[in-house]
């Protein structure tokens, strides 16, 4: 029963983040969404997922950025703001942390691989 309730709370949070990644997402808002205090939610989320909440949000945002980098010619700075980061330096840092390359290099690698496949 407890697992079911926990799973429901995690699903609520995941749905919320995947729908609202482009906006400001505060830990307080999400904790409130599932009826927990900030500190309780932080511990609960880390225990349930293995990630800190902010890391999870960054993963969702970087994942969406990857889609935009490969599917559009949108400027990297615009993509940064579209996916919910509010400064380019932080976006580049988080992107590099998760992907091992900068957004520009990620796009370049994707473009060269796509071109090789067409030849």
């Amino acid at each position: 029963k407890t697992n079911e309730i926990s799973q429901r709370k995690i699903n609520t949070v995941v749905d919320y983040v995947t729908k609202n990644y482009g906006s400001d997402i505060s830990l307080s808002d999400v904790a409130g969404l599932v009826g927990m205090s900030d500190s309780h939610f932080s511990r609960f989320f880390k225990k349930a997922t293995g990630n800190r909440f902010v890391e999870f949000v960054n993963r969702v945002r970087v994942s969406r950025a990857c889609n935009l980098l490969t599917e559009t010619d949108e400027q990297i700075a615009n993509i940064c703001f579209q996916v919910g980061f509010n400064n380019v330096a932080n976006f580049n840092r988080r992107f590099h942390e998760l992907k091992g390359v900068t957004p520009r290099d990620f796009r370049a690698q994707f473009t060269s691989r796509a071109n090789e496949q067409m030849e």
Side-chain angles (χ1 to χ4, degrees), residues 14-23 60:
V14 169
D15 287 348
Y16 181 83
V17 172
T18 51
K19 287 186 181 111
N20 297 287
Y21 64 84
S23 318
V60 170

Side-chain angles (χ1 to χ4, degrees), residues 22-87:
S23 318
D24 271 346
I25 297 175
S26 80
L27 184 120
S28 292
D29 291 345
V30 179
L33 195 65
V34 292
M36 293 180 176
S37 70
D38 294 6
S39 58
H40 185 223
F41 173 73
S42 269
R43 285 190 306 274
F44 164 77
F45 193 85
K46 172 82 173 153
K47 192 173 170 216
T49 67
N51 287 305
R52 288 179 24 247
F53 179 68
V54 68
E55 291 167 345
F56 171 70
V57 173
N58 286 338
R59 274 174 203 223
V60 170
R61 289 176 169 164
V62 166
S63 169
R64 186 64 194 120
C66 288
N67 293 346
L68 292 169
L69 286 165
T70 58
E71 293 166 12
T72 70
D73 294 329
E74 192 74 56
Q75 288 185 332
I76 289 169
N78 293 346
I79 289 174
C80 156
F81 298 117
Q82 274 177 41
V83 300
F85 285 94
N86 38 24
N87 82 63

